[in-house]
DNA sequence: TAGATTGTTAATCGATTAACAATC
DNA sequence: TAGATTGTTAATCGATTAACAATC
């Protein structure tokens, strides 16, 4: 649909979506911009502006229809579009992600996991087989999957990235390692840097 | 130190810090603003401006001293300040976080984990004891820890939050549940919403 | 010296907020 | 009707980028 939403708008829309899930669960039919704004500690006119970008309209005196608004956000942001991916690094974090059953709600489908530790190869995590990292090129050749979830230890972050680019034609890397990956143009990296985030979170403490 | 850095500046400084770790490991003595900027795909004058906020100065023709710059960021952002916290919800994700040994690098010290599942209570994850959630109020009374890492299933997110606020005087919640928590003013929530982030990450795909 | 890099100001750009007419 | 809420414009605010003198 509309592919011109800014990163900030997209981010807020995902938060609105979270709130809408609760409203659906509570069987509430309508929601107002000020209700959303209050939960997120933002301005209500911003909420209305974001929603107007979806070409969705609300009702005066009533607000927005919860179900319609949720469907609209899902449609615009691609919640229902299936995105196949594989995990690289089947350690604690990789396994936790593999065991997180709810990723299907945002269209993420984890198809396989890879590791170089032979004691892990052949095991299963939540019905996902852990395979030898050397099988990755062949796997990608067959499946054309280009999203990697990178959960290797920090020291292997760049080496694994180089391997993914050269041998597995990766295009999207969801990076859980606490480092900045050096990648050529055209490869998209999203950093999920827990340590950095924690610093930001607790910056003001004490 | 300087407590007036904006969220955006703090975020970029944490990324610079990641890069500096690599430079230290590679025994490189100096780094220029354009080297940092290139890795992060941002403007080099922005890097210089951010660093100038630390009251740090570089050397013309040479750049910044890697060690000094890293120490300065750590000092300003509180990497070395110890922050005790406990985990609420010892499931896969909670356990993965407990097993993540490197949190000490950003000053995070996970002291305990709590769960309501009696089959988990009494077990250990990475030398951290899993305790009964009902022991939490007493534990907080003794330790005065006010940072909670919330890794319960989505449905228990708000209930657990209410409990933490009312019974455990929590002030900071690192929220890993995919929902918006309803909290009174004065309680700080940092959302680590993996599903929302994945949507944002893959928005432009296809 | 010539050349590379910082530090900083001014210009630009984008995002948020305020305000209010239109609507039901 | 009176009142609450949307939709949208204009005003404000903040963040990024461009430019360049100063430095070594």
């Amino acid at each position: 649909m509309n592919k011109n939403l800014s990163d900030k708008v997209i981010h807020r829309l995902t938060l609105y979506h979270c709130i809408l899930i609760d409203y659906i669960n509570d069987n509430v039919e309508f929601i107002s911009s000020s209700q959303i704004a209050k939960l997120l500690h933002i301005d209500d006119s911003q909420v209305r502006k974001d929603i107007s970008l979806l070409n969705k309209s609300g009702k005066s005196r009533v607000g927005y229809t919860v179900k319609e608004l949720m469907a609209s956000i899902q449609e615009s942001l691609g919640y229902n579009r299936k995105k196949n991916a594989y995990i690289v690094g089947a350690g604690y974090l990789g396994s936790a992600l593999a065991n997180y059953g709810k990723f299907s709600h945002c269209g993420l489908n984890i198809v396989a996991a890879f590791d170089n530790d032979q004691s892990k190869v052949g095991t299963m995590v939540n019905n996902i087989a852990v395979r030898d990292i050397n099988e990755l090129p062949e796997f990608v050749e067959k499946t054309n999957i280009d999203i990697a979830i990178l959960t290797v230890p920090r020291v292997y972050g760049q080496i694994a990235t180089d391997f993914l680019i050269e041998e597995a034609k990766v295009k999207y890397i969801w990076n859980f390692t606490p480092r900045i990956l050096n990648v050529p143009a055209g490869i998209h990296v999203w950093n999920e840097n827990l340590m950095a985030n924690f610093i930001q979170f607790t910056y003001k403490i004490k």
Side-chain angles (χ1 to χ4, degrees), chain A:
Chain A
M1 287 281 98
N2 186 347
K3 288 287 171 199
N4 307 312
L5 304 173
S6 79
D7 242 39
K8 295 214 148 184
V9 171
I10 297 166
H11 182 244
R12 281 194 300 268
L13 287 172
T14 63
L15 301 182
Y16 304 166
H17 186 261
C18 284
I19 292 170
L20 293 170
I21 293 172
D22 285 337
Y23 271 66
I24 295 249
N25 287 342
D26 295 346
N27 282 308
V28 181
E29 196 170 356
F30 296 102
I31 190 167
S32 71
S33 57
S34 60
Q35 286 177 302
I36 294 176
K38 203 175 174 191
L39 278 168
L40 298 173
H41 311 107
I42 60 176
D43 201 273
D44 57 308
S45 62
Q46 176 143 84
V47 175
R48 292 197 294 279
K49 203 175 210 183
D50 289 341
I51 292 173
S52 76
L53 296 173
L54 303 175
N55 300 317
K56 266 286 145 191
S57 58
K59 292 184 178 68
S60 294
R61 277 207 322 146
V62 175
Y64 302 89
T65 309
V66 172
K67 278 184 185 165
E68 276 181 23
L69 183 53
M70 184 158 99
S72 178
I73 293 176
Q74 288 181 345
E75 163 72 18
S76 292
L77 265 48
Y79 276 79
N80 304 320
R81 210 171 55 225
K82 193 167 174 180
K83 285 143 290 202
N84 292 312
Y86 55 85
I87 287 172
V88 179
Y92 289 113
L93 185 56
S95 302
L97 296 179
N99 275 302
Y100 188 59
K102 304 300 171 52
F103 275 138
S104 62
H105 293 175
C106 59
L108 170 55
N109 182 34
I110 301 176
V111 172
F114 294 89
D115 207 297
N116 65 354
D117 179 349
Q118 292 304 316
S119 72
K120 283 174 188 158
V121 171
T123 63
M124 301 287 280
V125 277
N126 190 29
N127 289 324
I128 298 167
V130 178
R131 311 188 188 197
D132 190 307
I133 187 73
N134 292 313
E135 293 176 18
L136 183 52
E138 191 190 332
F139 171 85
V140 167
E141 190 74 38
K142 269 193 294 208
T143 61
N144 279 315
I145 298 177
D146 55 11
I147 305 176
I149 302 171
L150 190 64
T151 50
V152 300
R154 184 183 194 290
V155 284
Y156 302 123
Q158 188 61 52
I159 298 167
T161 298
D162 295 342
F163 177 80
L164 290 173
I165 293 170
E166 286 158 28
E167 310 288 338
K169 299 173 209 131
V170 78
K171 289 222 306 251
Y172 299 89
I173 301 175
W174 199 9
N175 175 31
F176 284 83
T177 75
R179 73 187 291 157
I180 303 302
L181 303 176
N182 194 348
V183 297
I187 311 286
H188 305 268
V189 177
W190 184 275
N191 292 316
E192 210 72 61
N193 192 326
L194 293 183
M195 289 208 281
N197 293 357
F198 185 77
I199 284 293
Q200 214 179 329
F201 168 38
T202 57
Y203 168 66
K204 291 174 209 73
I205 296 185
K206 215 187 68 168

